[in-house]
Amino acid sequence: MTQGARVTTRPGTPSREAATHCPYCALQCGMVLRENGRRVEVLPRQFPTNRGGLCQKGWTAAELLDHPDRLTTPLVRDRRGGELRPASWDEALDRVATGIRAVQDRYGRDAVAVFGGGGLTNEKAYALGKFARVALRTRHIDYNGRWCMSSAAAAGLRAFGVDRGLPFPLADLGRAETLLLVGANPAETMPPLLRHLADQRARGGRLIVVDPRLTATARQADLHLQPLPGTDLAVANALLHIALSEGWVDRAYVAERTSGFDEVRRTVAGYWPAEVERLSGVPVADLEATARALATVDRAIVLTARGAEQHAKGVDTVAAFINLTLALGLPGRPGSGYGCLTGQGNGQGGREHGQKADQLPGYRRIDDPAAREHVARVWGVPAEDLPGPGVPAYALLDSLGTATGPRALLVFGSNPVVSAPRAARIESRLRDLDLLVVADFLRSETAELADVVLPVAQWAEEDGTMTNLEGRVLRRRALREPPAGVRTDLAVLAALAARLEGGAAGGEGFPTDPRAVFEELRRASAGGPADYAGVTWDRVERDDGVFWPCPDPDGPDTPRLFADSFPTPDGRARFHAVTHRPAAEAVSAEYPLHFTTGRVLAQYQSGAQTRRVDALRRAAPNGFVELHPDLADRLGVTEGDEVRVVSRRGELRAPARVSPAIRPDTVFAPFHWPGAARANSVTNDAVDPISGMPEFKICAVRVERA
Ligand code: SF4
């Protein structure tokens, strides 16, 4: 298959092809789209992450291109409570611009907010950040990546001085003698990744999985640790405690390449395995076996994902696992280290180029005067005109429509009505806005609340770049033009900027050509931690991906980080002493069970897209509540019975799925469905104090037969 193929039209045939990547998760599987007439076929493509594999979601991704629910005309609502009706682009954009100006005039510039998404291309994420800071001049922008990777990002920055999900290519997993997956279920979230695990197994490697559920991934493990949700941090500290007791710490590495170990050593001294067994339920023997498996081999990798991260102590939990890897001398050693499995398609690039409340492009901090000067120069505005940091996603959404919060919100590539924690409250906040604008290609649950809906292009209709879970910048290639009536997000931003800045000339800072935006992004990122200056469009085409940092177009890219030093001021990685603390909400007599959330194979994120794909809907038609047979017996519930899961914030109703795969003290529900089965009606909105990531993975509930 042609790796660098552009969209091609074969002479004499109506068919076209584009070598591109899946629109969904951060594995960014390579695929070829082939069009015959209006029919678009998906073919797998050899790429280092998927190695020719695709999951059901990727195979069926093209079904949405011509889906009957596809939006092809803007929609506006004339009055609250009224219906959305079709409108011209001019009417819709005028309505948005007028609404923004009215809110700004009355409440000030910070009264308009922007909410982005981890699926947007690098160019869109960059343009959205610039639009917020330059066209709107608001400090309020954040994105749904806060829900996914922000705790690992914060922990990585603190420890290593940089946040790149995997600091090595994914293929390194296949060479690890021991691989520890913490709160990760790639067998369901990114199945082609299992090809790398198969490699690892074929070479005699060991797989250990930490998960409160016996997931499809855990079933393949040599050892499954099944801790109580919210106790991963204690497990990590116990593993380091054992490594210290057994003399397995790499003292030369710790002395030469790290700082802060003494305090960590003192802290983990108190994490006696027997006590951690009582706390977490993980047997001492399994803790010991895990520590031994990591410490007594040449190559070991620890990966965390949402199970470890989506907690009010998510940053500290990840830090505990990073501490373990540093003590064992793993980061920077070939085939070894720590990494985070990024979830959303552009979760990595989306957090590098300015969608985050505290960030400017290139992973620069918005409160850093030198960073502001650099980016302001690229943008052609005075640095003092750039707003300061905003607030993380949940705080932003929870303030909407309140006396002190924004009164208008523009949403791009996100569906917080389903995906936000404590979702009923966020839904009510959205209803309180003076103006809600949603750019999407389907009527998502959030679009249903909007005053204006702007129909935008899909992944196969636009060019751009994405940055996958390895920090590899990829080309998304358009197969065909968007349908009549549909515009790209970049065109929407340009048109709005022109209206807001007074005439067509005002939109000049917002090019609609993705390549032009990428060129500007390269300049804006130059010299920053996520330096794309040397990642040229042509180079990405030629090499089918380039790893950042890459400061020089003629110099090498960086598939592996930390070989010689860490990008911290002194070149050393930093330990952080962290201690276990209970979940934000304890179980009680009224709410005696733990509730945790996650995904299923055939659905993706809020499900706005995948719930509309026939094959995926057939495979996973409804939400469900998974509970252990012992618990089901106690409650008098049998398979398929409708149950209510009730927390202090709300309830969900869904059929029971009785399974020994889950702990008897915990119930699970996937979060892809709206309405009665909405898992986020129940979840807790407690957030990590450093990352702002909500505690999706544990709260207290009771379960009843409905
Ligand atoms: S959803 Fe993820 S794992 Fe599945 S095909 Fe797409 S990129 Fe690959």
Side-chain angles (χ1 to χ4, degrees), residues 22 24-29 31 53-55 57-59 189-192:
C22 175
Y24 297 120
C25 85
L27 203 60
Q28 285 295 288
C29 295
M31 59 170 55
L54 292 175
C55 79
K57 299 181 287 274
W59 280 112
T189 56
M190 34 181 73

Side-chain angles (χ1 to χ4, degrees), residues 501-632:
E501 294 173 12
E508 273 177 7
F510 294 90
T512 57
D513 174 11
R515 186 166 180 164
V517 178
F518 186 73
E519 293 306 317
E520 188 181 307
L521 179 161
R522 286 176 56 212
R523 285 187 282 122
S525 76
D531 191 333
Y532 280 46
V535 187
T536 68
W537 195 268
D538 290 338
R539 188 172 176 177
V540 176
E541 288 276 2
R542 187 190 69 216
D543 299 345
D544 209 15
V546 178
F547 290 88
W548 71 260
C550 181
D552 180 355
D554 300 317
D557 64 347
T558 318
R560 288 183 182 78
L561 297 168
F562 316 147
D564 303 313
S565 69
F566 295 92
T568 55
D570 61 4
R572 289 166 174 264
R574 292 169 293 219
F575 281 95
H576 289 87
V578 290
T579 53
H580 169 77
R581 50 194 183 275
E585 186 176 64
V587 293
S588 63
E590 196 179 354
Y591 301 100
L593 296 165
H594 304 286
F595 176 67
T596 192
T597 63
R599 305 181 192 190
V600 297
L601 172 61
Q603 298 290 346
Y604 182 69
Q605 303 294 69
S606 77
Q609 297 171 48
T610 48
R611 282 186 273 112
R612 288 177 161 91
V613 175
D614 285 344
L616 301 179
R617 200 173 48 237
R618 279 197 302 275
N622 303 112
F624 59 88
V625 176
E626 183 178 278
L627 67 170
H628 192 275
D630 294 350
L631 176 61

Side-chain angles (χ1 to χ4, degrees), residues 164 166-173 175 301 470 472 547 559-560:
R164 201 181 87 183
L166 295 183
F168 42 72
L170 193 68
D172 280 13
L173 301 190
R175 292 195 276 276
I301 290 178
E470 308 165 286
R472 192 192 310 241
F547 290 88
R560 288 183 182 78

Side-chain angles (χ1 to χ4, degrees), residues 81-93:
E83 294 295 312
L84 285 165
R85 64 163 174 83
S88 70
W89 271 98
D90 275 343
E91 183 188 359
L93 291 169

